[in-house]
């Protein structure tokens, strides 16, 4: 399986980032909400306390009457019962004539400024370790033939108010916590909805075959269109370069082959005409080198063909049995030259796979070529085609020198076994087979034969009926 | 056997013709398709070796026309491009086989023999020598009433020795013609096949003689 290569190992997850941002934003919102609710609750409870306190202080000051020998006043019960309604609060008062305390509690915090009339001044203060809300009014009375100012201060503890604020804040906190609990799954959902199209697009590009260079046509969100466009532009450039390379390789191989065949023929003739050992050895070396280069040229071409065709892969029904028979027939004369016997099995019944006949021809020929190359003279190659588990399995078993255990990379380009230095080869053949197999969604494996030799297996998925 | 070689590279054609002549085949050379058509009208051929790209057209079209006219002389296409599509289209158009340039002579001979064998009957491939009959296409040696099968290298060896009976062939020469150049072969490898052929020739009235330090030759007893 291929895994997409991360563009940058330090890349970040858009999804995670989205979720975190949703959550962080919500936390901030909840905190702001909490404080706002607390503030408003405090204000509201203070306003209601002030209203009651104001009315009470005014009605207390109303009850002040000058009498002959001083002041007389009633504490109006209505006012105090109003104050009592606000909860379990304690109430303090003081009545001063000018700066002199006439009645009530000493040391009540004085108002920040001296009130001048009956409109109350509200303020906070401390008394006996309790926080108080206080209201003060001033009233003028005629006493001893002079207008004198009587100041009434009424204070009330703030326990009830604090309790209300605490209660409200706690409710606000619970609401916020619940909200946060809801936000996490919602953020995940929202992130998925946003990232979904990106994932689909990634999947569509990742699932492609190794040589699939068609433009990406998968639907993408508008914001991603520039990226898809850039990707397609890149693919188009890559494709153009590949095509140019292929044309070049075809042309180059053609140009090299014709003069090479002349060199080869001349060398063979020279070899048959000379009896001098040194010259003969030299000519043989030359012929070997020519074989090697022409084989490489063929395989480079085959490779280009496979790359090109897997890029434009359009599977059609291919009878693998018939194709294998054709390839066997063309390899037969070569096998016969070395008295290698090719034993086919299972090639008489058709075995249809969806595929590209030319790619498969190249693959089969390279497998057989390889088996033949490493077979001993008078050896045997068994070609066996069968259908197992929805797969067409073609095994080619030779009796050659087999695999060296440590040679694990034989399928890589230009890789050759460590025990084959004396045989002409480019190391591309098996790569070609593997690439053709992969393009068909199949597999190619090389395993050591049971007793000797190598077993090459090409598995291709059969058409799903 | 009579071959027609259609190839526009003069040097290559000359060399191929010369090499085929060494095996005792008669080869006519044509450099263009029209020349090839003239040759085909004037004489029967056992096999045509046809290049794909020729100055006056595509060898494959020529082949298609031949097959349309129901002339079924076996054809081996010679191609320099070696691309798969070329190979497949040549076979689709009625070629019997193809060979990719540059080719081994041994491979060309092997392919020619395989194609000729499939068309056996068209040509008489039997030769008589001393007391035996050799059929190169059937790969048999007949001594009296007894038919002896020949393996590929025995057959090839006998073919070479029979092309000029009495002539001495050196070990290196025989190796060159029996083994592919891709193989490392020791000089002694040939002795195995000489031994085998000698046994097949027993009682045939011919003898495979060893000339120590010189080589081998086939002579009547």
């Amino acid at each position: 399986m291929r895994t997409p290569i991360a563009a940058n190992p330090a890349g970040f997850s858009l999804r995670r980032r989205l979720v975190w941002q949703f959550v962080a934003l919500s936390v901030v919102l909840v905190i702001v909400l909490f404080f706002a609710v607390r503030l408003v609750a405090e204000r509201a409870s203070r306003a209601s306390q002030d209203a009651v306190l104001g009315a009470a202080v005014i009605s207390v000051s109303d009850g002040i009457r000058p009498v002959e020998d001083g002041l007389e006043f009633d504490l109006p019960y209505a006012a105090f019962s109003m104050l009592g309604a606000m909860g379990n609060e304690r109430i303090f008062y003081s009545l001063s004539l000018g700066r002199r305390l006439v009645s009530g509690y000493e040391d009540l915090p004085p108002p920040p400024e001296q009130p001048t009339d009956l409109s109350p001044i509200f303020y906070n203060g401390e008394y006996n370790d309790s926080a108080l809300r206080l209201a003060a009014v001033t009233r003028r009375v005629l006493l001893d033939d002079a207008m004198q100012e009587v100041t009434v201060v009424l204070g009330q503890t703030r326990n009830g108010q604090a309790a209300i604020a605490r209660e409200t804040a706690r409710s606000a906190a619970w609401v916020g916590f619940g909200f946060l609990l809801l936000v996490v799954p919602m953020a995940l959902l929202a992130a998925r909805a946003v990232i979904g199209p990106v994932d689909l697009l990634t999947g569509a590009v990742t699932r492609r075959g190794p040589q699939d260079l068609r433009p990406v046509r998968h639907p993408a969100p508008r914001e991603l269109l520039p990226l898809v466009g850039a990707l397609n532009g890149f693919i188009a450039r890559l494709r153009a370069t590949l095509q140019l390379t292929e044309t070049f390789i075809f042309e180059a191989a053609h140009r090299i082959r014709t003069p090479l065949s002349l060199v080869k023929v001349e060398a063979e003739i020279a070899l048959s005409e000379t009896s001098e050992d040194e010259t003969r050895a030299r000519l043989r070396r030359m012929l070997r080198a020519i074989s090697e280069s022409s084989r490489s040229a063929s395989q480079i071409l085959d490779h280009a063909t496979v790359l090109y065709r897997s890029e434009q892969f359009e599977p059609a029904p291919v009878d693998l049995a018939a194709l294998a028979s054709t390839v066997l027939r063309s390899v037969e004369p070569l096998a016969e030259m070395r008295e290698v016997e090719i034993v086919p099995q299972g090639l008489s019944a058709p075995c249809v796979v969806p595929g590209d006949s030319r790619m498969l021809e190249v693959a089969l020929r390279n497998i057989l070529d390889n088996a033949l190359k490493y077979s001993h003279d008078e050896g045997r190659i068994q070609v066996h085609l069968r259908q197992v588990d929805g797969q067409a399995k073609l095994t080619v078993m030779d009796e050659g020198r087999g695999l060296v255990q440590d040679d694990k990379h034989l399928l890589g380009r230009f890789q050759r076994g460590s025990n084959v230095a004396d045989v002409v080869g480019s190391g591309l053949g098996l790569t070609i087979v593997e690439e053709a197999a992969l393009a068909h969604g199949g597999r190619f494996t090389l395993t050591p034969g049971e007793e000797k030799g190598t077993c090459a297996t090409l598995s291709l998925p059969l058409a799903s009926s | 056997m009579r071959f027609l070689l259609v190839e526009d590279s003069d040097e290559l054609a000359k060399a191929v013709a010369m090499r085929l002549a060494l095996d005792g085949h008669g080869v006519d050379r044509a450099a263009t398709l029209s020349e090839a058509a003239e040759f085909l009208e004037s004489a029967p051929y056992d096999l045509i070796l046809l290049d794909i790209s020729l100055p006056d057209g595509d060898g494959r079209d020529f082949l298609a026309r031949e097959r349309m006219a129901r002339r079924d002389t076996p054809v081996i296409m010679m191609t320099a491009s070696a691309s798969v599509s070329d190979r497949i289209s040549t076979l689709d158009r009625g070629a019997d086989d193809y060979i990719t340039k540059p080719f081994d002579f041994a491979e060309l001979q092997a392919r020619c023999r395989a194609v000729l064998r499939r068309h056996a009957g068209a040509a008489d491939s039997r030769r008589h020598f001393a007391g035996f009959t050799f059929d190169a296409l059937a790969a048999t040696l007949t001594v009296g009433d007894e038919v002896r099968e020949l393996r590929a290298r025995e057959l090839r060896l006998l073919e070479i020795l029979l092309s000029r009976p009495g002539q001495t062939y050196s070990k290196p020469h025989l190796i060159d013609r029996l083994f592919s150049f891709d193989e490392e072969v020791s000089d002694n490898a040939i002795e195995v096949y000489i031994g085998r052929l000698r046994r097949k020739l027993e009682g045939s009235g011919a003898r495979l003689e060893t000339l120590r330090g010189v080589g081998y030759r086939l002579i009547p007893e």
Side-chain angles (χ1 to χ4, degrees):
Chain A
M1 277 314 294
R2 289 164 321 116
T3 44
I5 300 156
N8 177 353
F12 55 86
S13 157
L14 215 51
R15 183 198 308 271
R16 201 171 299 157
R17 182 173 268 213
L18 258 174
V19 170
W20 279 124
Q21 289 199 346
F22 272 127
V23 172
L25 201 67
S26 309
V27 167
V28 169
L29 279 178
V30 164
I31 290 173
V32 167
L33 187 75
F34 172 76
F35 283 109
V37 164
R38 211 170 74 168
L39 192 71
V40 167
E42 262 173 19
R43 278 207 181 148
S45 71
R46 194 160 62 202
S48 63
Q49 191 179 27
D50 284 0
V52 174
L53 209 52
V57 82
I58 289 170
S59 72
V60 168
S61 70
D62 255 356
I64 297 172
R65 283 184 311 276
V67 290
E68 277 174 30
D69 51 348
L71 287 173
E72 187 187 279
F73 79 100
D74 301 326
L75 280 178
Y77 287 97
F80 285 94
S81 74
M82 251 194 316
L83 286 171
M86 291 200 59
N88 190 19
E89 306 287 9
R90 286 183 298 148
I91 299 159
F92 306 89
Y93 80 95
S94 71
L95 202 140
S96 323
L97 188 62
R99 296 212 170 270
R100 187 170 51 88
L101 180 74
V102 178
S103 170
Y105 296 81
E106 279 181 83
D107 304 330
L108 272 187
E113 52 186 299
Q114 191 61 32
T116 52
D117 53 14
L118 279 178
S119 45
I121 288 178
F122 297 100
Y123 59 101
N124 296 329
E126 285 273 332
Y127 183 72
N128 279 356
D129 296 332
S130 302
L132 296 185
R133 183 69 178 165
L134 300 115
V137 290
T138 295
R139 192 174 158 205
R140 286 165 217 282
V141 289
L142 189 67
L143 194 68
D144 302 337
D145 298 330
M147 288 302 281
Q148 295 200 36
E149 291 190 332
V150 178
T151 303
V152 180
V153 175
L154 199 59
Q156 187 183 26
T157 50
R158 303 178 62 191
N159 298 334
Q161 193 193 358
I164 289 173
R166 256 199 319 276
E167 194 58 42
T168 315
R170 193 179 296 147
S171 306
W174 277 113
V175 169
F177 184 66
F179 179 67
L180 277 182
L181 282 185
L182 272 179
V183 154
V184 174
M186 267 160 54
L188 283 171
L189 275 176
R192 184 199 272 183
V194 171
I195 301 297
V198 180
D199 283 349
L200 284 178
L201 196 65
T202 311
V205 176
T206 313
R207 268 197 312 276
R208 295 181 154 221
Q211 314 298 340
D212 187 350
L213 289 183
R214 287 169 306 174
V216 179
R217 299 232 181 276
H218 206 269
R222 204 177 309 135
E223 289 78 2
L224 282 183
L225 287 183
L227 182 64
V228 173
L231 184 62
N232 282 341
F234 175 71
I235 289 174
R237 284 201 302 280
L238 186 63
R239 220 174 129 136
T241 314
L242 257 179
Q243 246 158 30
L244 205 67
T245 315
E246 270 153 26
T247 319
F248 178 76
I249 292 173
F250 274 90
E251 185 63 21
H254 189 92
R255 297 275 164 151
I256 290 167
R257 272 164 189 289
T258 307
L260 213 53
S261 36
L262 181 61
V263 175
K264 188 160 190 176
V265 171
E266 294 288 359
E268 279 194 42
I269 290 172
L271 188 61
S272 71
E273 283 174 351
T274 184
S275 56
E276 213 178 302
D277 278 348
E278 204 171 312
T279 315
R280 286 176 37 80
R282 210 160 265 160
L283 285 168
R284 285 189 77 94
R285 281 200 296 275
M286 203 168 125
L287 282 164
R288 255 177 86 94
I290 297 168
S291 288
E292 195 162 343
S293 58
S294 80
R295 185 185 277 270
S296 297
S298 299
Q299 293 195 323
I300 288 171
L301 264 174
D302 280 354
H303 193 236
T305 305
V306 167
L307 287 185
Y308 182 75
R309 297 198 71 86
S310 55
E311 180 196 317
Q312 331 237 323
F313 189 52
E314 273 171 26
V318 177
D319 182 356
L320 205 57
L323 192 67
S325 304
T326 310
V327 174
L328 281 192
R329 206 180 78 181
S330 79
V331 173
E332 197 84 49
L334 295 176
E336 202 184 273
M337 271 166 64
R338 295 186 33 213
E339 299 192 349
V340 172
E341 190 191 359
I342 300 183
V343 188
Q345 196 184 338
L347 294 188
S348 44
C351 172
V352 179
V353 295
D356 179 300
S357 62
R358 292 182 180 174
M359 238 198 287
L360 290 176
E361 196 250 25
V362 167
L364 294 185
R365 204 161 31 78
N366 274 288
I367 297 177
L368 277 165
D369 208 44
N370 205 62
L372 187 58
K373 205 162 67 176
Y374 296 116
S375 280
H376 299 299
D377 282 9
E378 299 176 34
R380 201 153 64 127
I381 297 175
Q382 296 183 61
V383 179
H384 189 181
L385 179 65
R386 60 195 195 282
Q387 303 184 8
V388 208
D389 303 333
Q391 302 258 319
K393 267 190 197 294
L394 183 92
T395 47
V396 176
M397 270 172 290
D398 65 48
E399 299 174 342
R401 61 189 77 188
L403 298 170
V404 173
Q405 278 303 317
D406 294 340
D407 289 350
K408 294 198 164 66
H409 311 295
L410 284 183
L411 301 183
R413 271 180 215 183
F414 302 113
Q415 299 296 315
R416 302 196 62 210
S418 49
N419 56 341
V420 298
D422 56 326
V423 182
V424 173
S426 67
L428 253 185
L430 298 180
T431 315
I432 293 167
V433 182
E434 198 192 20
E435 275 169 7
L438 287 180
H440 283 78
R443 256 162 61 83
F444 177 60
T445 53
L446 272 187
T447 46
E450 271 167 29
E451 284 168 21
K452 54 184 170 175
T454 309
C455 178
T457 309
L458 176 67
S459 318
L460 300 170
L462 291 162
S464 45
S465 49
Chain B
M1 294 279 157
R2 190 152 190 199
F3 289 10
L4 177 62
L5 173 64
V6 192
E7 162 67 58
D8 61 330
S9 159
D10 193 43
E11 293 151 307
L12 183 61
K14 211 185 287 176
V16 172
M18 190 178 145
R19 194 65 174 72
L20 287 171
L22 213 64
D23 288 341
H25 299 298
V27 183
D28 289 325
R29 285 193 280 134
T32 60
L33 291 178
S34 52
E35 236 181 286
E38 282 172 35
F39 273 113
L40 282 172
E41 268 173 39
S42 59
Y45 287 94
D46 295 307
L47 183 71
I48 303 172
L49 296 169
L50 183 57
D51 192 19
I52 283 192
S53 60
L54 288 158
D56 57 345
D58 191 315
R60 286 167 293 190
D61 297 337
F62 180 79
L63 172 63
R65 286 199 296 276
E66 281 291 297
R67 293 290 182 254
M68 287 268 276
R70 304 204 170 278
R71 287 188 286 265
D72 59 351
T73 313
V75 170
I76 296 180
M77 299 294 296
M78 300 186 294
T79 149
S81 82
S83 79
V84 199
S85 46
D86 277 357
R87 275 199 299 269
I88 290 192
S89 67
T90 53
L91 295 180
D92 284 350
R93 291 187 197 201
D96 294 83
D97 204 352
Y98 57 80
I99 189 163
T100 314
K101 293 178 189 174
F103 43 78
D104 253 16
F105 261 110
E107 184 185 342
L108 180 62
Q109 284 162 343
R111 291 198 182 278
C112 289
R113 193 175 300 116
V115 166
L116 286 169
R117 194 180 308 137
R118 261 183 264 139
H119 281 256
D124 184 9
S125 57
R126 282 175 299 175
R127 286 197 59 176
H128 305 281
F129 183 77
F132 69 86
T133 304
F134 167 56
D135 189 334
L137 292 187
T140 55
L141 189 78
T142 315
V143 179
D145 289 339
E146 193 191 344
V147 179
R148 300 170 185 175
E149 301 268 338
L150 291 174
R151 301 188 64 163
R153 280 200 176 114
E154 296 158 14
L155 170 111
R156 183 82 197 101
L157 183 60
L158 184 55
E159 218 173 28
I160 295 163
L161 294 169
L162 263 181
S163 65
R164 283 180 203 153
Q167 182 178 322
T168 307
Y169 290 92
S170 68
K171 267 189 193 175
H173 181 96
L174 290 176
I175 286 170
D176 291 344
R177 296 183 63 180
L178 233 51
F179 293 93
S180 156
F181 296 112
D182 294 350
E183 303 168 74
E184 281 301 346
V185 193
S186 74
D187 272 10
N188 293 332
I190 203 74
E191 282 164 15
V192 176
Y193 298 96
I194 292 285
R196 286 186 190 169
L197 185 57
R198 213 168 247 156
R199 277 196 294 282
K200 296 263 164 88
L201 283 171
E202 267 167 19
S204 69
R207 193 158 62 88
L208 222 172
E209 193 182 34
T210 309
L211 300 168
R212 224 160 264 295
V214 185
Y216 305 92
R217 64 175 180 175
L218 186 69
I219 47 167
E221 266 174 342

